[in-house]
Amino acid sequence: MIADAASSCGRTDLLWCGVAAPRFVEVAVSVPVTGTFTYAVPNAWAEAPPVGAMALVPFGRRKISAIVLGPASPPEGYEALPLHEVQAHQSLPADVVGLCRWLAEYYAAPVGEALRLATPPGSHTATRTVYAWTTEGQAAWQADGFGIGKDERALLAALAAGGGKLRALTPSQKQAMPGAITRGWVVEKVLGQAAVSLKQQVMIALAPDVDVAAAQVACGRSGKQRAVLQALHEAAQQGAAQASDGLPMRVLVAEVPGAAAAVKALIARGHVITHRTAMTLEPAVVAALGGSSRPGLNPHQADALAYLRDRLDGFSCTLLFGVTGSGKTEVYLHVIEDVLARGRGALLLVPEISLTPLVAARFRARFGDAVAVLHSGLTPRERYDEWQRLQRGEAVIAVGARSAVFAPVANLGVIVVDEEHDGSYKQDDGVRYHGRDVAIMRAKQAGIPCLLGSATPSFESYFAAQSERYGLLALPVRAVADALPAVTIIDMRRYRAEATSLLTAPLRQALADTLASGGQSILLLNRRGFASSLLCETCGAPVQCKHCAVSMTWHEYARTMICHYCGYQQPRPPACPACGGASLGGHGVGTEQIATAIAAQFPTARIGRLDRDTGRREAIERVLQDVEEHAIDILVGTQMVAKGHDFANVTLVGVLCADIGLSLPDFRASERTYQLISQVAGRAGRGKKGGQVLIQTYRPEATCIAFAQQHDYPGFYAAELATRDELDYPPRVRMFAWHIDGSVDADAARIAEALAQSLRRHAGELVLVGPAPAPLTRLKGRFRYQLWGRGAPEALKAARAVHAHFMAKRGVIPAGVRVTLDVDPVSTL
């Protein structure tokens, strides 16, 4: 593990360990290059910038942003360029810098790229150049042009008109500028500024010492002005806002229509004042949650909480293995309450927060504005604002998806990773880190507990718990419902499914009965679109993406063919691109076609759809809200419908084809299928009515399906682990993958073979497979190859060393080829 960024003194608050400020610092630049760089601290600066400070540095012909890592000692005779501006308000906490340095080493990534993960979008420093005249330049201008050329005279005139500063230069001014700088008349300043600034809101407050009653009398017949004064007075009295802070203008306008004009009049009278503050996100709607209600804990939850309370003072990693609906979230809330009572902060990671808005709402219902939400569904400005709230200490709980693991939570006291098994915690491009594993390391470095929660744990986490490296807590029963839903397997070899709806007779009847009883249903098909592909009925060739070696999916609603890997879109071709045949037919069924067919079969039912084609975050949340409010009777969707939703009136879940994914060339296919089936099954019967699950499959004997029917994760784990051990696959061994891709097929193939030879020579403890074309041989116009290695846990060191040596060879890798090491990969595609 990399040493702490604060060096050997072990302190992150006293960066320089009490010694005189060094004249050189080590930085990581925000571009994908290996290594770190040394820069000089300008003599005019009283002290060196702290660890984590975002600085502006000259890099080649550019000025780019960089993160300060600590003091440096350059070789004798080394001429270090000076730092430019430092953005102190955007500094990363020293503990996050140390975490990123570990991440860069573990995942064999450039440290600058690792640090970019920890900074919110838009916070990277952009540059602007300002030209300002000096005292000598001002004197030259005032000397009435003596000894000054025409162009220089015009340049000084422009400076005078601009108050002594210029930002944009005309062509003639650019020509005159070098001479003016040489003569000492003008200095060039390169300044940095955040690409995204804090969003501002207008606040309206009562003027100091104002007599509200007298002010209302003075307003005469203006009811709007009196209403505004009353709203501000009540807010201050109720503690919603202090008189010095006031209320946002948007809140006043919502409460008092026409308040904007009334506020102007009240400002003129001296009764109210206005100012601007940073805007934070609106509190989530929590009415459906019963406000900040606190349900009681059952004995299993109480035992888990007692166990966790005993471990708040040091590092530990605990797996909370609770069946769906067992109340894991309530345990999280109680643990975080205890941490906050100690004056510390908390971090909660969830797989995809835009799909589970009730998680954020539930935390805000309990903790109010102390919660900051971070996820990709927010705009860059919104994420930047939330990040700043955490950095300023206005929020002490961070709730977010994968990248929130780097959130600047001060005095962190606990990290919780909900649904720790979810594959979305793994970054599949760039720096290929795993959010769960980084969370565990952050907890270890901070000396605090990390809690992993899941109803279907990853094999890696359950193996660690069985090996007693992690603690293991069980929540074996549901918190509200009496029992888990009954699961019925429907053999599709016996019961034929309809071509368009994929409904067998038993599932169709169950849907009809559920509708008649007033219940709601969820149907899962993990394939979106209308038709999986369009095939030529003459030659049998599919319509393929021109950038990827995959078939394009037909979307009926948009009347468009879409590649689900690169996003390329095209109209439906009038003829077969391969042979010119005029007949193209749809093959394979997606959620769009299922929803259409279900609507035709059940015309009185209200049908909803939830998949990646549904739209942006707002549209997804609207669908979920409609299900919550029973404005939807049948929800059709992909794996998005299985993501932790809690709908009390859903009494039926149908899995239309459980075999999708089982035939993928991936040793985790069975594990993922079990997790998906179990998770979506867990959406049924969470209320008082109970529920049932119907699973349609051509392979009822498959291990994952048979054990999912019994809700038997330990049994499935034991059976699958025996197969994994026989094949020498994780979790008992480590696995690594090298991805080689290039715009020229031959170049990518040649580098893949060269890398394989290097590994065979220098990493003998690794078992290598490949190189071979990837299952998806071409994506986004690039040809792809893979090389797989596996071995004992110690093999990681050898893998990284050979990779670093190979990447350092100058001239070996052509410009159009990329080589990436994926440590602990989760996908074989």
Side-chain angles (χ1 to χ4, degrees):
M1 186 185 304
I2 291 181
D4 190 293
S7 77
S8 60
C9 67
R11 294 283 301 277
T12 58
D13 56 336
L14 297 177
L15 168 63
W16 308 114
C17 307
V19 301
R23 302 322 309 164
F24 300 96
V25 292
E26 179 188 14
V27 307
V29 294
S30 57
V31 291
V33 295
T34 58
T36 59
F37 300 87
T38 299
Y39 284 85
V41 178
N43 292 329
W45 293 11
E47 57 185 19
V51 164
M54 186 173 288
L56 197 64
V57 300
F59 196 80
R61 297 182 178 181
R62 298 179 294 164
K63 304 293 190 303
I64 62 175
S65 59
I67 300 294
V68 175
L69 302 178
S73 299
E76 186 175 349
Y78 178 81
E79 295 185 10
L81 296 173
L83 295 173
H84 281 283
E85 187 178 358
V86 171
Q87 302 289 326
H89 64 286
Q90 294 183 152
S91 61
L92 297 178
D95 67 309
V96 174
V97 173
L99 178 69
C100 290
R101 298 194 75 168
W102 168 84
L103 184 149
E105 181 185 25
Y106 185 82
Y107 291 103
V111 65
E113 288 293 279
L115 285 161
R116 281 183 69 91
L117 299 169
T119 55
S123 66
H124 291 281
T125 303
T127 61
R128 57 187 174 93
T129 302
V130 175
Y131 300 94
W133 66 7
T134 62
T135 304
E136 291 80 2
Q138 191 172 6
W141 166 249
Q142 294 171 348
D144 200 22
F146 178 75
I148 300 177
K150 179 181 177 182
D151 288 344
E152 292 171 329
R153 174 74 180 175
L155 175 61
L156 293 175
L159 283 163
K165 293 181 180 179
L166 281 179
R167 288 181 174 82
L169 301 179
T170 65
S172 62
Q173 289 169 353
K174 287 181 181 179
Q175 207 165 13
M177 185 58 72
I181 293 175
T182 300
R183 300 174 78 167
W185 294 343
V186 180
V187 293
E188 178 185 8
K189 297 181 179 180
V190 180
L191 304 178
Q193 62 182 10
V196 174
S197 59
L198 286 175
K199 191 174 182 180
Q200 299 285 304
Q201 62 183 349
V202 177
M203 300 291 292
I204 311 300
L206 293 171
D209 302 323
V210 68
D211 185 327
V212 175
Q216 287 180 320
V217 171
C219 291
R221 300 172 61 184
S222 175
K224 301 288 188 187
Q225 294 179 33
R226 291 197 299 272
V228 168
L229 289 169
Q230 187 63 30
L232 293 171
H233 177 65
E234 290 177 356
Q237 291 295 109
Q238 295 171 4
Q242 296 180 359
S244 59
D245 294 333
L247 290 176
M249 173 66 88
R250 68 186 190 284
V251 173
L252 277 175
V253 171
E255 292 185 6
V256 184
V263 166
K264 288 183 179 180
L266 290 169
I267 292 173
R269 293 176 180 272
H271 294 157
V272 302
I273 56 176
T274 180
H275 63 283
R276 290 179 176 271
T277 64
M279 178 183 288
T280 59
L281 295 180
E282 295 291 343
V285 178
V286 297
L289 301 175
S292 57
S293 61
R294 295 168 52 85
L297 300 180
N298 63 33
H300 297 290
Q301 290 172 308
D303 290 345
L305 181 59
Y307 176 93
L308 294 168
R309 279 174 171 164
D310 289 340
R311 286 157 179 80
L312 292 180
D313 292 323
F315 169 70
S316 64
C317 188
T318 304
L319 175 63
L320 182 61
F321 174 30
V323 299
T324 55
S326 59
K328 293 184 290 293
T329 302
E330 193 60 35
V331 174
Y332 305 157
L333 288 164
H334 277 73
V335 170
I336 290 174
E337 276 185 339
D338 288 349
V339 168
L340 263 60
R342 295 168 172 238
R344 310 195 73 176
L347 172 59
L348 169 71
L349 298 183
V350 294
E352 295 180 72
I353 197 170
S354 61
L355 300 181
T356 53
L358 290 183
V359 172
R362 192 165 176 182
F363 271 71
R364 280 194 164 143
R366 188 72 62 89
F367 302 113
D369 288 340
V371 177
V373 180
L374 299 165
H375 62 90
S376 60
L378 305 176
T379 65
R381 169 169 276 174
E382 286 174 330
R383 276 185 280 174
Y384 185 61
D385 291 346
E386 291 292 85
W387 190 88
Q388 285 284 353
R389 288 183 61 225
L390 287 164
Q391 190 187 53
R392 294 192 300 264
E394 296 170 7
V396 294
I397 304 171
V399 177
R402 179 179 59 225
S403 61
V405 71
F406 306 104
V409 181
N411 197 20
L412 192 59
V414 68
I415 300 177
V416 179
V417 184
D418 190 28
E419 307 294 358
E420 62 83 26
H421 68 276
D422 199 287
S424 63
Y425 281 122
K426 176 71 171 179
Q427 176 79 15
D428 58 6
D429 57 10
V431 182
R432 296 172 181 252
Y433 72 97
H434 200 299
R436 176 200 62 216
D437 298 340
V438 175
I440 295 171
M441 178 51 65
R442 184 172 185 183
K444 184 175 182 179
Q445 290 183 342
I448 60 174
C450 183
L451 177 59
L452 312 178
S454 178
T456 55
S458 65
F459 269 42
E460 287 76 10
S461 294
Y462 199 70
F463 180 79
Q466 292 292 309
S467 305
E468 298 185 352
R469 290 191 289 115
Y470 296 173
L472 180 61
L473 298 173
L475 299 179
V477 298
R478 284 188 158 181
V480 177
D482 292 334
L484 290 166
V487 179
T488 301
I489 303 295
I490 300 174
D491 189 342
M492 296 178 75
R493 296 169 299 187
R494 176 184 175 190
Y495 295 96
R496 293 294 179 181
E498 296 181 355
T500 56
S501 68
L502 289 188
L503 292 180
T504 59
L507 181 53
R508 188 186 316 107
Q509 185 60 51
L511 277 172
D513 293 343
T514 302
L515 285 169
S517 66
Q520 294 171 278
S521 305
I522 291 177
L523 298 178
L524 167 72
L525 178 69
N526 203 22
R527 181 183 289 152
R528 59 192 174 107
F530 191 87
S532 302
S533 61
L534 293 182
L535 298 182
C536 175
E537 297 181 358
T538 301
C539 70
V543 178
Q544 285 198 314
C545 174
K546 70 177 186 178
H547 304 294
C548 308
V550 296
S551 300
M552 301 189 72
T553 301
W554 171 246
H555 291 253
E556 182 76 22
Y557 178 77
R559 307 297 298 173
T560 302
M561 302 200 71
I562 302 176
C563 174
H564 289 171
Y565 289 90
C566 73
Y568 173 72
Q569 301 184 20
Q570 70 175 49
R572 179 176 180 142
C576 173
C579 73
S583 181
L584 292 172
H587 288 258
V589 179
T591 49
E592 185 182 353
Q593 185 172 167
I594 294 294
T596 302
I598 296 291
Q601 292 189 22
F602 298 95
T604 61
R606 296 163 295 180
I607 312 299
R609 200 175 96 235
L610 188 64
D611 54 36
R612 292 297 176 197
D613 302 319
T614 303
R616 297 178 61 84
R617 176 186 50 149
E618 294 80 5
I620 292 172
E621 292 186 3
R622 188 161 51 249
V623 171
L624 296 175
Q625 190 66 30
D626 286 345
V627 178
E628 178 70 29
E629 296 174 354
H630 203 165
I632 288 175
D633 298 310
I634 302 173
L635 178 64
V636 179
T638 60
Q639 60 181 333
M640 294 171 70
V641 301
K643 298 282 187 178
H645 312 301
D646 190 354
F647 304 124
N649 199 47
V650 170
T651 57
L652 172 66
V653 165
V655 180
L656 296 180
C657 187
D659 309 317
I660 293 179
L662 267 181
S663 299
L664 289 174
D666 192 332
F667 69 89
R668 288 191 175 91
S670 182
E671 178 185 357
R672 289 201 183 97
T673 300
Y674 178 91
Q675 289 168 341
L676 182 59
I677 293 174
S678 296
Q679 289 289 336
V680 74
R683 302 315 109 203
R686 298 172 78 95
K688 298 294 185 182
K689 297 181 180 179
Q692 62 174 326
V693 180
L694 275 63
I695 300 175
Q696 298 183 163
T697 177
Y698 289 102
R699 299 168 61 181
E701 72 284 351
T703 302
C704 57
I705 294 173
F707 280 105
Q709 181 183 22
Q710 302 301 322
H711 304 289
D712 184 6
Y713 176 86
F716 168 68
Y717 170 83
E720 183 70 11
L721 184 64
T723 301
R724 297 268 190 100
D725 287 345
E726 182 179 349
L727 298 174
D728 201 22
Y729 282 146
R732 208 177 295 275
V733 300
R734 299 294 301 276
M735 186 161 279
F736 322 97
W738 282 266
H739 304 277
I740 304 96
D741 63 85
S743 53
V744 178
D745 190 6
D747 287 346
R750 178 172 55 82
I751 295 303
E753 183 58 41
L755 175 61
Q757 292 177 6
S758 182
L759 284 164
R760 289 190 176 98
R761 283 196 303 268
H762 303 293
E765 56 266 58
L766 280 178
V767 178
L768 293 177
V769 178
L776 300 175
T777 56
R778 188 166 64 96
L779 282 181
K780 301 179 182 179
R782 300 182 67 84
F783 297 90
R784 307 169 71 241
Y785 289 83
Q786 290 181 347
L787 178 63
W788 287 81
R790 65 179 186 270
E794 298 77 19
L796 175 59
K797 183 178 180 180
R800 283 197 304 241
V802 175
H803 176 78
H805 179 73
F806 186 82
M807 296 298 290
K809 293 180 180 179
R810 294 185 178 274
V812 171
I813 303 176
V817 176
R818 296 180 304 205
V819 179
T820 305
L821 170 58
D822 189 356
V823 178
D824 305 326
V826 299
S827 173
T828 62
L829 299 180

